[in-house]
Amino acid sequence: MDLGLETADARIREDDVEGAVADALIRRGRLDQASLDRAIRLRRERGGRAEHLHILLTQLGLVAEADVAEALAEVLDLPLIAAGDFPEEPALNGALSARFLKEARVIPVSETATDLLLAMANPLDAFAFKAVEIAAGKPARVGVALPADIERAFERLYGSGGTAISQIVDGFGEAEISERDEDAERLKDQASEAPVIRLVNLLVTRAVEARASDIHIEPYENTLRVRYRIDGVLHEVETPPVKLRSAIVSRVKIMAKLNIAERRLPQDGRVKLAIRGKEVDFRVSTLPTMHGESVVLRILDKGSAKFEFSVLGFEEDTLATYLDVLERPNGILLVTGPTGSGKTTTLYTSLLRLNTPEKKILTVEDPIEYQLDGVNQIQVKPKIGLTFANVLRSILRQDPDIIMIGEIRDLETAQIAAQSALTGHLVLSTLHTNSAAGTVTRLLDMGLEDYLLASTVNGITAQRLVRRLCPHCRTSAPAPAELVADLRLERYAAPGDPILVYRPVGCELCNGTGYHGRSAIAEMLVLTEDIRRLTLRKADSRDIQRQAVEAGMRTLYDDGMRKALSGLTSIEEVVRVTRET
């Protein structure tokens, strides 16, 4: 039959396209041959043509949906449909059912007298394409769009008046399980119901899409609050009904393999999920509160983490000084700042720069945030006595060249780090202090001998993260004379150049915040002979900072103001993160 021949020909063409898409992904470095072979084997086990290969690749988390879309557009010579290209009102005047469009992941984008433009997540879906052409009564053109963009557009254009969360929980049982309910099996059953699973998956997926670093699920007496930390600032999002708070918490605990029956003690766990075609790690922490368990999921998306000095935000002269200290064969290099200031990212970037076949690197961390190839990483476990100090006592027998200590928390760890540096090792670590100069006095106050500190510490960098202004909507204006005089802004501009201040506005691309992404501001203190002498005299941090500035150190505030006047961030943002120093 002709239909059979046409179908066979179509399958041959689809196989050619799938192969070309895979080749494009490999060529771009988004996919390796071993991962492709794994997907092909699984596809064959499922019946060969059960699903398209590029869809299976994203389902397995082997490649991101955005990369697949770009490869499909390239191979098929189709346009990419961006999130802002979708219409304000549904096209075709309701000629197509919303259910069909949702299942086929197709959205009509525009209509003319002669043809129709479709946004398709899977442009190889010939059935959906033909169905739309028949319903529209005119030829159609295809553009490739991200599934996430199509889903958001569908919810906006064809939603039934409720949000995605309200649609998921609609019809769910009314009874809430009390936090004091001892029936763990009942709690497990409710957490395993489809609406709860879909709801938790939606909260997690939206957080990853919004570039959040943490998800906070907080129970109160009459509400359940969900917040995402985006670019270092918490934002409240749509709240699930309070009746589901026990089920939502239990679902997260099941995913992280925690004990759902234990609601009196804190618990910690990890879970790995495939989100939009990429594997994302989550670190899960639960804490009992008055009205239930508070849950925080730290999102560890290695795909979005950039372990490259070029993108961290260090100024060229500061980076040159940092790398000079980093590449010394022994001694201690400290990265300091409060929680969430990017210390771990800086250390991981440093380790990757030092990671060569000639060097053995050992790390002692709590917790291990990202797994680094070629680096021996050790997770401390205080409950069984595997503490920082105990690990460090044994670590030198492993003959390392470089040691990274996640954090110096006590005198014993500081002393072992100093002794390791004295015996010819390079030691990298972090400390929670507000400034580079304050780190010296903090270590002395901790009890570390002044001669050990002066002879082993080579350099200290203090850093913060400031939000980057959205380049698409930021505005600039000449700085008021009062502001220039008050902040002495003329110090950061070339003579004769106008001094501009940049401010956030807010647009669709930055979700109305005016900021998109973060950048580091840093100060780098090198322990020169003058500063070592001040250390031996136990000078206070102000004297040490004054000497470092005279030697050429740019402070956190000065580094931030330079970035603000260049348009990278705002003056308000710099003041916000440096005001304590």
Side-chain angles (χ1 to χ4, degrees):
M1 295 176 61
D2 291 341
L3 181 60
L5 291 173
E6 288 173 3
T7 304
D9 290 342
R11 289 185 175 181
I12 293 171
R13 288 195 299 272
E14 282 188 17
D15 288 339
D16 291 341
V17 171
E18 295 281 12
V21 169
D23 290 341
L25 290 169
I26 292 175
R27 186 175 65 253
R28 294 179 177 200
R30 308 301 187 189
L31 180 69
D32 57 57
Q33 188 63 47
S35 297
L36 176 60
D37 293 342
R38 172 189 166 194
I40 292 173
R41 284 197 303 271
L42 182 59
R43 187 190 190 202
R44 190 179 301 121
E45 291 169 3
R46 293 183 177 181
R49 301 210 51 82
E51 53 211 327
H52 289 101
L53 180 60
H54 65 273
I55 295 177
L56 185 57
L57 288 170
T58 60
Q59 290 175 345
L60 295 173
L62 300 176
V63 65
E65 288 179 337
D67 296 324
V68 168
E70 291 177 2
L72 280 167
E74 174 191 313
V75 170
L76 297 173
D77 193 22
L78 298 175
L80 270 172
I81 306 295
D85 296 333
F86 289 91
E88 293 297 324
E89 299 292 336
L92 293 179
N93 295 320
L96 292 167
S97 74
R99 180 178 179 181
F100 168 78
L101 293 175
K102 183 176 183 178
E103 292 178 353
R105 296 194 296 178
V106 177
I107 297 286
V109 175
S110 62
E111 182 183 12
T112 68
T114 58
D115 66 2
L116 176 71
L117 175 61
L118 303 178
M120 300 185 67
N122 180 18
L124 298 182
D125 189 344
F127 173 79
F129 175 76
K130 284 294 183 184
V132 174
E133 280 194 325
I134 293 171
K138 62 180 67 175
R141 295 178 292 115
V142 176
V144 184
L146 290 178
D149 292 340
I150 289 180
E151 289 169 12
R152 281 192 289 267
F154 178 87
E155 185 176 329
R156 176 171 57 84
L157 294 169
Y158 303 96
S160 58
T163 63
I165 286 181
S166 65
Q167 292 176 35
I168 289 175
V169 302
D170 186 37
F172 191 77
E174 291 297 323
E176 176 193 0
I177 294 181
S178 167
E179 296 295 336
R180 291 175 289 276
D181 196 327
E182 298 299 326
D183 189 355
E185 286 302 316
R186 183 182 171 209
L187 195 60
K188 184 177 180 180
D189 289 343
Q190 191 178 28
S192 301
E193 291 190 27
V196 176
I197 294 173
R198 292 202 305 271
L199 180 56
V200 172
N201 289 345
L202 179 64
L203 293 174
V204 168
T205 300
R206 283 182 171 178
V208 173
E209 291 174 349
R211 302 178 296 103
S213 60
D214 302 86
I215 305 171
H216 294 250
I217 303 174
E218 303 160 323
Y220 296 94
E221 184 176 5
N222 299 312
T223 61
L224 177 67
R225 183 161 71 167
V226 178
R227 294 188 288 175
Y228 297 160
R229 188 177 295 279
I230 303 171
D231 295 334
V233 178
L234 284 171
H235 299 269
E236 192 160 354
V237 298
E238 185 182 359
T239 303
V242 67
K243 68 180 181 181
L244 293 182
R245 60 184 176 185
S246 300
I248 290 172
V249 170
S250 297
R251 176 61 193 166
V252 174
K253 292 170 74 173
I254 289 172
M255 291 163 61
K257 295 180 173 60
L258 301 180
N259 182 2
I260 65 169
E262 179 55 77
R263 299 189 286 276
R264 302 164 300 168
L265 297 173
Q267 296 187 68
D268 295 291
R270 293 180 78 108
V271 60
K272 180 178 291 187
L273 301 172
I275 306 293
R276 297 297 181 195
K278 57 182 178 181
E279 283 194 345
V280 180
D281 282 330
F282 296 84
R283 197 169 74 228
V284 180
S285 170
T286 69
L287 187 70
T289 67
M290 180 179 292
H291 299 293
E293 290 178 281
S294 173
V295 179
V296 175
L297 293 88
R298 168 64 59 88
I299 301 173
L300 304 172
D301 185 359
K302 190 173 181 180
S304 64
K306 305 295 183 184
F307 298 122
E308 301 174 12
F309 283 113
S310 60
V311 299
L312 291 184
F314 283 72
E315 291 292 321
E316 288 186 9
D317 51 352
T318 302
L319 179 58
T321 305
Y322 180 87
L323 294 179
D324 176 68
V325 175
L326 177 67
E327 290 167 0
R328 297 182 188 181
N330 52 58
I332 298 175
L333 172 59
L334 296 173
V335 181
T336 69
T339 300
S341 59
K343 301 185 299 295
T344 301
T345 301
T346 299
L347 281 188
Y348 279 178
T349 305
S350 303
L351 289 178
L352 289 176
R353 183 181 180 91
L354 297 171
N355 188 17
T356 63
E358 298 80 28
K359 295 176 181 176
K360 179 167 183 174
I361 302 175
L362 283 169
T363 75
V364 189
E365 305 173 61
D366 183 25
I368 296 173
E369 294 202 5
Y370 297 101
Q371 297 179 26
L372 305 178
D373 292 336
V375 177
N376 298 277
Q377 296 172 270
I378 303 166
Q379 168 74 56
V380 302
K381 298 176 182 176
K383 289 183 179 179
I384 62 172
L386 193 66
T387 63
F388 277 107
N390 288 340
V391 172
L392 288 171
R393 288 194 194 96
S394 303
I395 210 171
L396 296 181
R397 302 191 190 103
Q398 292 286 313
D399 189 29
D401 298 291
I402 300 164
I403 301 169
M404 193 271 270
I405 305 170
E407 182 186 347
I408 294 179
R409 299 178 178 176
D410 50 42
L411 173 59
E412 188 176 15
T413 304
Q415 289 175 329
I416 296 174
Q419 294 293 342
S420 300
L422 281 176
T423 54
H425 300 86
L426 176 62
V427 180
L428 311 180
S429 189
T430 71
L431 205 64
H432 284 93
T433 56
N434 289 333
S435 66
T439 304
V440 176
T441 55
R442 170 70 187 282
L443 287 170
L444 292 173
D445 292 343
M446 194 181 284
L448 185 65
E449 294 84 350
D450 52 11
Y451 69 89
L452 269 180
L453 195 160
S455 58
T456 57
V457 177
N458 292 333
I460 305 166
T461 182
Q463 67 179 62
R464 302 287 188 277
L465 293 177
V466 293
R467 291 181 292 170
R468 292 174 177 263
L469 285 168
C470 175
H472 297 92
C473 64
R474 69 181 181 184
T475 61
S476 64
E482 298 83 0
L483 184 67
V484 173
D486 187 35
L487 300 179
R488 297 173 58 203
L489 297 180
E490 70 279 354
R491 295 178 294 163
Y492 311 110
D497 285 355
I499 299 178
L500 301 177
V501 291
Y502 295 81
R503 298 191 183 282
V505 176
C507 65
E508 182 179 342
L509 293 173
C510 61
N511 293 322
T513 64
Y515 295 95
H516 190 280
R518 290 191 287 178
S519 176
I521 59 174
E523 61 184 24
M524 182 68 204
L525 185 153
V526 178
L527 268 74
T528 61
E529 290 305 316
D530 290 334
I531 292 180
R532 294 185 196 278
R533 281 193 288 270
L534 288 173
T535 301
L536 292 171
R537 295 208 306 265
K538 294 184 170 60
D540 63 27
S541 59
R542 287 172 296 182
D543 292 334
I544 294 173
Q545 172 131 336
R546 191 179 305 112
Q547 178 60 47
V549 170
E550 290 178 2
M553 183 185 82
R554 183 187 300 129
T555 65
L556 279 170
Y557 179 82
D558 289 342
D559 191 38
M561 283 299 173
R562 282 173 174 264
K563 287 182 166 66
L565 295 188
S566 71
L568 181 75
T569 188
S570 64
I571 290 177
E572 294 83 359
E573 184 70 5
V574 174
V575 172
R576 180 181 71 86
V577 302
T578 62
R579 58 189 171 195
E580 74 272 19
T581 61

